[in-house]
Amino acid sequence: MPLIEEKYRPVAQMLLSSGTCPRCVLRFCCVGTYSPYRLPYKDLDGEMQTYVAVSPGDTADPRWVPPCKKAKLDISIENPGDNFLIDSSQLNDKNDAPSLRSCNLCLGILQDLSEADFIKEIFQTVNSAGYEFKDFVFSVSLPAQMSVREHSTWLQAKQEMGKHGHPFEKTDVIQLKEAYKWITHPLIAEELGVQAVSKSSFEVAVVFAHPETDGDCHFLAKTCKDCFKPTKNKLSVFTRMAVIKALEKIKEEEFCASFSYPPQCPVTVCKVVDLQCSHASVFVAGRYNKYSRNLPQTPWVIDGERKMESSVEELITEHLMAVFKADSFNFSSSGREDVDVRTLGKGRPFAIELVNPHRVQFNVQDMKELQKKINSSDKIKVRDLQIVTREAVAHMKEGEEVKTKCYSALIWTEKVIQEEELQALDHTKELKIAQKTPLRVLHRRPLASRLRVIHSMRAEYVDEHHFRLYLKTQAGTYIKEFVHGDFGRTRPNLGSMMKTTADILELDVESVDVDWPPALDD
C-alpha cells in the first residue's frame, strides 16, 4: 500500500528532488496518521524513493533517486538529466545518502533530532532534574525561519497540485510540531515510564535554533515593517508569531520575488539551545494565627536594611519550600495586620504559590505533618493546611471589601471615661466613616478617600482612662485611624465622638469572616 495518495506524487517528486527529507514529504503530502512517521528513517526513505521512481503500472530500478543540486557526495551521473543511479553499496552511513542529509524544511529535526540518541539526552535531563510527575507534556519551540521555508514550499506545492486540478490549502499540511511529537512521544514515554498527554502539570520543553538560516526571514522586515516591533523580553524582532503574521500579510508575488524556491539545503542541522523541565505551580492554603506583637506579616526591609528578624511569611514558607523543593514562592492573604497586631480566633486565610516545585505528591497525613512542623514556632500557628487549585485561590479575594472583620482594642482617653459614653458606643450601628489614606502608609499606597462602615461596637470599662472596644467592621477599615483620627483624616472618629483625645494601645484581630479555605478535621 502506498504511503501517500496518488494525487500527491508530483509534490513528493518535487520535494525529494529539492532536498526535503521523507518525513517532511509525508507532511506536505498530507499524511495525517502517525505510523508512517514512526517507520525507521532508512526504511521510510527507501519506500519513498521507490514510490516516486515507479509510476503506476511501471517497473523501474528501485535504486533510482531524484536529482538534487545540493548532494554532498561526488556521485557520477550515468545519464545527465532527469535520473541518476547510485550504487547502494556506497550508502554505508546515514550521512552518506543524499536523500538523508539535512532537510531544507525541518533543518534536521525530523532526522537527527528525533532519533534514539537525542531521546536518551531528554531522558537524562529529566531524570537528573529530580521531579515527581505522573505524566508529561512535550513542548517544542522552532526557529522562526522554518515558517518562511514552509511558506515557500507550500506555494510551489499548491502550484503543482493546481496543474492537475487539485486544491491545496496551507492548513492541509501536517505541522512539523505535530509530526515531531508523533515520532518522539512514544520514545520519550518509554524512557520515562509515563504517558505523554496534551495537558499536564509537568512540561518537558526543547528549544531549537538554526543560526545558519537566521537570515531567511529578514526580508520580511522591509515589506511588513509593522509586524516586527522590538520588545524588552525578546532578543530578536523575528519571533515565530511575528513572522507568521508577516507571511499572512505579504502578497504571493512579492514573497516569491524575495525568497526563491527551493530553499537552500543547510550545511548544519538545528541545535538545541535549551532543554529543560518545569512543573506548574502548586498552591497551598490555610489560616494563620499570629501571637507576637513584634512580627510583620512579610519581611520588613527599609532602604535595604532589615528591621525585624523574621515574618509570618518566612515562618510558614521556609518549611513549604524545603518540602516541596520549589524554586520560589508568592505569598498572599486576606488582608494584613500591622507588626504590633495579633491575629487570634480561627486566623487569617492565606495562600502560597510554590513556583516550579520538584516534589508534589502529598497526602492528607503529609500535610498534617507539615502543619505540625510549622507550628513548632511559638510566634505563629497554622490550621487547615491543604493543597488547593489556582482557581480556588481567587475565592480568598472575592468580595474582599464587603467581608467583615472583628477586632478588639485597648483604648486610652485623655479625659475620664463616663459610663453613658460607653453605652452610646454600644448603641452605635452601621456607622459610616470617610478615611483618607493614613499618613503611615501613604508612602506605599495612593492618596484616596475611602468610605467604610463600622457595623457594631461594644465597650468594656477597664478604669477611668482605659476601656476595651470590640468592633465589627467592613474589611479594609483602618482601626487605629478610626480611634485617634489621624489628624482629622478619618471622620468621624472615636476621639471626636467622645469629645476627647483617644489612642489605641493594643489591637487584636479576632476574626476574618472569609469562609475559605474549607475547614479540615484535626
Side-chain angles (χ1 to χ4, degrees), residues 8 46 99 138 163 188 203 253 260 270 285 289 371 376 396 404 420-421 445 456:
Y8 293 110
S99 58
F138 185 48
K163 293 176 183 178
I188 301 173
E203 179 183 32
E253 57 272 17
S260 59
C270 269
N289 292 111
Q371 180 171 294
S376 61
M396 184 177 70
T404 59
E420 56 268 22
E421 291 177 319
R445 294 201 174 177
S456 64

Side-chain angles (χ1 to χ4, degrees), residues 138-370:
F138 185 48
S139 67
V140 180
S141 177
L142 302 173
Q145 59 266 31
M146 281 186 175
S147 297
V148 175
R149 290 173 164 256
E150 293 210 350
H151 189 73
S152 170
T153 302
W154 167 69
L155 290 175
Q156 293 299 316
K158 181 176 72 167
Q159 182 179 349
E160 191 65 35
M161 291 289 285
K163 293 176 183 178
H164 304 278
H166 301 299
F168 191 57
E169 300 296 330
K170 200 171 187 178
T171 52
D172 295 337
V173 178
I174 305 301
Q175 294 297 305
L176 175 56
K177 285 185 181 181
E178 189 77 8
Y180 188 66
K181 290 178 181 180
W182 284 344
I183 301 166
T184 57
H185 269 182
L187 302 176
I188 301 173
E190 184 178 1
E191 290 282 356
L192 296 180
V194 295
Q195 289 299 309
V197 294
S198 57
K199 289 185 179 180
S200 173
S201 298
F202 182 64
E203 179 183 32
V204 181
V206 60
V207 179
F208 293 113
H210 196 259
E212 181 187 346
T213 58
D214 275 346
D216 283 0
C217 47
H218 290 183
F219 73 93
L220 291 170
K222 297 178 181 179
T223 55
C224 306
K225 293 180 181 180
D226 58 329
C227 295
F228 302 96
K229 297 177 181 179
T231 56
K232 291 182 179 179
N233 358 349
K234 300 292 183 181
L235 296 177
S236 171
V237 296
F238 297 102
T239 63
R240 188 169 179 84
M241 291 308 298
V243 169
I244 290 174
K245 184 178 178 182
L247 292 174
E248 291 173 349
K249 186 175 181 181
I250 192 171
K251 296 179 180 178
E252 289 187 11
E253 57 272 17
E254 197 171 6
F255 177 89
C256 293
S258 303
F259 192 87
S260 59
Y261 180 86
Q264 293 290 314
C265 285
V267 175
T268 59
V269 300
C270 269
K271 65 177 183 178
V272 178
V273 294
D274 197 12
L275 175 55
Q276 59 179 245
C277 314
S278 61
H279 198 287
S281 294
V282 169
F283 294 83
V284 175
R287 286 177 174 261
Y288 73 79
N289 292 111
K290 180 167 86 75
Y291 303 119
S292 170
R293 295 197 187 276
N294 294 288
L295 186 69
Q297 187 191 72
T298 55
W300 194 2
V301 180
I302 300 177
D303 296 329
E305 182 181 348
R306 191 179 184 100
K307 296 298 182 181
M308 293 285 179
E309 181 181 341
S310 189
S311 65
V312 173
E313 174 187 289
E314 290 165 295
L315 291 174
I316 297 174
T317 57
E318 65 180 348
H319 296 284
L320 295 178
M321 289 289 288
V323 173
F324 281 83
K325 299 180 180 179
D327 288 353
S328 60
F329 67 87
N330 295 305
F331 180 92
S332 60
S333 63
S334 181
R336 59 187 298 134
E337 67 285 315
D338 290 337
V339 62
D340 58 346
V341 176
R342 298 186 303 177
T343 298
L344 308 176
K346 292 184 178 181
R348 185 185 297 278
F350 70 90
I352 297 170
E353 177 187 9
L354 295 158
V355 180
N356 194 27
H358 287 57
R359 187 185 172 201
V360 295
Q361 296 173 8
F362 294 87
N363 57 33
V364 174
Q365 188 58 39
D366 292 331
M367 296 306 291
K368 286 184 178 180
E369 291 297 321
L370 182 53

Side-chain angles (χ1 to χ4, degrees), residues 447-467:
L447 176 61
S449 182
R450 300 171 179 84
L451 296 177
R452 294 290 183 264
V453 178
I454 309 293
H455 295 294
S456 64
M457 289 186 281
R458 180 172 62 85
E460 286 183 359
Y461 181 83
V462 176
D463 59 36
E464 289 183 340
H465 292 281
H466 299 87
F467 68 96

Side-chain angles (χ1 to χ4, degrees), residues 492-518:
N493 56 70
L494 192 63
S496 68
M497 293 169 68
M498 298 181 69
K499 296 181 173 56
T500 185
T501 299
D503 206 352
I504 189 165
L505 304 181
E506 292 179 353
L507 180 63
D508 293 329
V509 179
E510 297 288 348
S511 71
V512 180
D513 302 325
V514 177
D515 189 19
W516 188 89

Side-chain angles (χ1 to χ4, degrees), residues 330 395 399 433 435 440 442 483:
N330 295 305
H395 296 321
I433 63 174
Q435 292 192 305
R440 64 188 173 92
L442 199 53
V483 172

